[in-house]
Amino acid sequence: MPQYILALDQGTTSSRAILFDKRGRIVAQAQKEFTQIFPRPGWVEHDPLEIWSTQAGVAAEATVKAGQNGKSIAAIGITNQRETVVVWNRKTGKPIYNAIVWQDRRTAEYCDQLRAEGREDLIRNKTGLLLDAYFSASKVKWILDNVRGARRKAAAGELAFGTVDSWLIWNFTQGELHVTDVTNASRTMLFNIHTLQWDEELLGLFDIPRSMLPEVRQSSEVYGETKTTVFASKIPIAGIAGDQQAALFGQLCTSPGMVKNTYGTGCFMLMNTGPEPKASSNNLLTTVAWQRNGQVEYALEGSIFMAGAVVQWLRDNLGIIKTSAEVEQLAKQVNSTGGVCFVPAFAGLGAPYWDPYARAAIFGMSRATTAAHIARAALESIAFQTMDVLEAMKVDSGLPIAELRVDGGAAANKLLMQFQADVLDTKVIRPRITETTALGAAYLAGLAVGYWQNLEELQALGQSDTLFSPNASQPGIRESIENWHHAVQALRVWSHAPQGSAAEPPRPN
């Protein structure tokens, strides 16, 4: 009977399951969306029971689609939306509150309070993270502070906390395993990335009992076996990684200096920096890439808020395209932006600026400007933002960058990928299978059980598909990069100007 690896990809809007064969090819897959809950502005929640039911459902569906049962699956790998938290009762296995999602901002004021108390450097030095409501710690504290009886039960050891990977494994093993891996632990703001331990000082700061926390394990090892009726037989659970780290491994960025960029709604760029964590002086995050065979690899991470979302804005707000796929053809109608520069800071600027007050602007328009010029400028803005993060990574890491590996929806846009290579003056490599997040989870699980023997065997699978080489003779690249930086500078000056001052004309003498 042929053997497969089952990757479970629990995302922010849907749960997916993908079955991979020995050559890293997709055999079967299933996907199901689940409810997004918005109790108040800025609050985002999921029902943990719905997360579990959809994930278990697609796991069974993908297996049946392939005409297989549990006996044909060598191992399960899990990858998940990071920072989202679930707190549940150890005895009943039932959550005491909805999952609070990484996008949720309800604890922003509390984080501001910690910053005012001078706690930011302590947190940054231990965790590699910026002090922000994005991460898990303040969310757990909120649940303990706001759910009746939660603090008493937590103090009595009756509650368990976990990121989504922990919650799924708890359910797959019927409460036998309460574990996470180093990548997910490193996103909680409770984990010391130098000692690789839960940090007592941080637990005290957020008032979270140690008894709630899962055991931290490697990203690639056999944690235990499934005990549910989802599968016909027990299957080893053998790989865990947060989604962006899984994509980094799926792209086989296994040597220091290798970088991947995921072009989704925003962009997530990670660089493998090797066995030593690199502190950032450019507002990047220092995080754990993975741990396997006792060896830890670290990464630098930069987030870009608006990538594919810029194209959605052209479609939904301006109406100049009907579908996102049309943007490439529209942009190709012109050979340049005609001097137009688009800085899409609709939700502020992410790395390396981290300016939440910045707002979007389009510069350099004339009477000759058309929808095609704006579309082209929108695509170029994605490449310029990626360039800024990559330059910050070069400085922070001190490592040369030979290529950029890409995935995500917008990576299918040939015009964007070629311009990206030109702007970076670096090769851009797009994989044959763009499901690199699930593939990374599969690789980690498969290596743990000997389905694949080593990294060399994975490299030999030849997943890279399309190479975009920089066009050295491309005219105007240097000038367009300078224009981009001028536009960002002008935008930040305008965004921080006192209200009304920009609108008042000079008074005559």
Side-chain angles (χ1 to χ4, degrees):
M1 182 182 291
Q3 291 275 296
Y4 304 101
I5 300 290
L6 177 61
L8 304 180
D9 183 354
Q10 205 299 303
T12 308
T13 58
S14 70
S15 296
R16 296 193 303 160
I18 303 180
L19 221 56
F20 291 96
D21 68 11
K22 195 89 178 219
R23 295 177 65 183
R25 296 176 305 189
I26 293 174
V27 176
Q29 57 185 317
Q31 180 172 359
K32 187 170 179 59
E33 292 189 356
F34 54 86
T35 311
Q36 306 294 305
I37 303 166
F38 306 103
R40 296 185 194 175
W43 292 29
V44 190
E45 297 176 1
H46 295 154
D47 178 353
L49 296 175
E50 191 180 7
I51 288 176
W52 161 242
S53 65
T54 55
Q55 192 64 75
V58 292
E61 184 184 341
T63 307
V64 170
K65 270 186 185 176
Q68 305 298 326
N69 59 33
K71 289 179 181 175
S72 64
I73 299 173
I76 292 173
I78 293 175
T79 182
N80 56 285
Q81 53 168 316
R82 302 176 302 172
E83 296 96 17
T84 297
V85 303
V86 185
V87 176
W88 66 93
N89 187 300
R90 288 185 180 277
K91 290 177 183 172
T92 66
K94 295 287 188 281
I96 66 165
Y97 190 78
N98 278 338
I100 300 183
V101 181
W102 57 273
Q103 300 157 315
D104 191 283
R105 302 300 300 170
R106 76 186 66 186
T107 58
E109 284 187 14
Y110 176 68
C111 291
D112 289 342
Q113 179 188 323
L114 289 179
R115 191 174 292 108
E117 293 170 3
R119 308 285 192 167
E120 188 161 27
D121 286 345
L122 166 77
I123 291 169
R124 186 77 189 261
N125 292 338
K126 288 181 180 242
T127 68
L129 306 176
L130 298 169
L131 173 53
D132 196 88
Y134 177 57
F135 304 106
S136 309
S138 60
K139 302 180 195 301
V140 183
K141 176 178 166 47
W142 187 93
I143 290 174
L144 293 180
D145 288 344
N146 288 276
V147 175
R148 182 174 294 178
R151 281 228 164 265
R152 177 180 52 77
K153 289 177 181 174
E158 295 173 19
L159 299 184
F161 147 69
T163 41
V164 171
D165 56 308
S166 298
W167 170 242
L168 292 177
I169 291 172
W170 174 279
N171 283 284
F172 271 118
T173 62
Q174 294 187 343
E176 191 173 282
L177 286 177
H178 185 209
V179 299
T180 190
D181 89 302
V182 287
T183 69
N184 281 291
S186 76
R187 312 297 294 193
T188 59
M189 224 154 63
L190 299 169
F191 187 73
N192 188 314
I193 61 170
H194 308 281
T195 64
L196 301 178
Q197 302 285 332
W198 296 118
D199 191 274
E200 294 297 337
E201 190 174 7
L202 294 176
L203 289 171
L205 180 63
F206 288 97
D207 198 13
I208 297 170
R210 175 72 179 78
S211 61
M212 293 181 69
L213 303 182
E215 178 188 354
V216 182
R217 306 277 285 270
Q218 297 188 96
S219 309
S220 178
E221 65 171 278
V222 177
Y223 314 104
E225 293 182 325
T226 59
K227 294 183 73 174
T228 63
T229 56
V230 175
F231 307 105
S233 57
K234 294 180 178 180
I235 303 170
I237 302 171
I240 309 171
D243 53 10
Q244 299 308 322
Q245 285 95 332
L248 188 69
F249 199 79
Q251 288 272 30
L252 294 175
C253 294
T254 54
S255 300
M258 296 185 77
V259 189
K260 75 90 194 172
N261 193 30
T262 298
Y263 297 79
T265 303
C267 284
F268 285 95
M269 188 186 295
L270 271 75
M271 170 195 270
N272 183 326
T273 58
E276 297 294 328
K278 302 261 186 185
S280 173
S281 54
N282 289 285
N283 291 318
L284 303 178
L285 306 179
T286 303
T287 196
V288 177
W290 53 74
Q291 183 185 28
R292 50 182 298 269
N293 298 333
Q295 177 66 55
V296 181
E297 300 281 328
Y298 291 90
L300 285 169
E301 177 175 328
S303 302
I304 295 162
F305 298 153
M306 302 296 286
V310 185
V311 178
Q312 292 168 353
W313 183 78
L314 297 179
R315 182 193 67 197
D316 300 338
N317 295 55
L318 286 195
I320 62 175
I321 51 175
K322 287 190 171 65
T323 68
S324 295
E326 291 176 18
V327 72
E328 185 171 8
Q329 288 307 313
L330 179 59
K332 276 183 175 177
Q333 291 177 13
V334 290
N335 293 324
S336 74
T337 66
V340 175
C341 195
F342 187 168
V343 186
F346 293 99
L349 285 168
Y353 304 103
W354 282 106
D355 184 348
Y357 302 103
R359 287 296 174 264
I362 302 175
F363 296 92
M365 289 189 290
S366 70
R367 286 290 298 273
T369 299
T370 66
H373 292 110
I374 292 172
R376 194 173 185 106
L379 289 181
E380 290 189 1
S381 76
I382 300 171
F384 287 133
Q385 291 178 96
T386 299
M387 172 194 70
D388 285 345
V389 176
L390 200 60
E391 288 300 318
M393 284 184 172
K394 281 185 190 175
V395 172
D396 282 342
S397 68
L399 296 169
I401 294 167
E403 63 190 31
L404 175 66
R405 300 193 174 191
V406 300
D407 53 62
N413 188 309
K414 292 179 182 176
L415 179 67
L416 171 58
M417 291 299 102
Q418 184 58 55
F419 187 74
Q420 187 72 81
D422 295 342
V423 164
L424 298 176
D425 195 23
T426 298
K427 289 184 296 184
V428 170
I429 298 174
R430 187 173 65 196
R432 175 165 49 87
I433 294 175
T434 54
E435 301 292 353
T436 52
T437 303
L439 189 60
Y443 282 166
L444 289 165
L447 287 168
V449 297
Y451 183 80
W452 293 291
Q453 295 304 310
N454 48 43
L455 292 177
E456 289 72 27
E457 185 177 351
L458 297 181
Q459 299 282 3
L461 297 176
Q463 295 288 12
S464 63
D465 177 33
T466 309
L467 170 66
F468 298 89
S469 296
N471 183 355
S473 61
Q474 181 77 359
I477 286 291
R478 287 293 107 205
E479 183 183 350
S480 65
I481 291 172
E482 287 177 13
N483 287 345
W484 165 259
H485 287 134
H486 286 317
V488 171
Q489 188 178 9
L491 173 113
R492 297 183 75 191
V493 169
W494 184 87
S495 296
H496 291 267
Q499 280 295 100
S501 63
E504 290 180 14
R507 295 180 182 277
N509 291 330

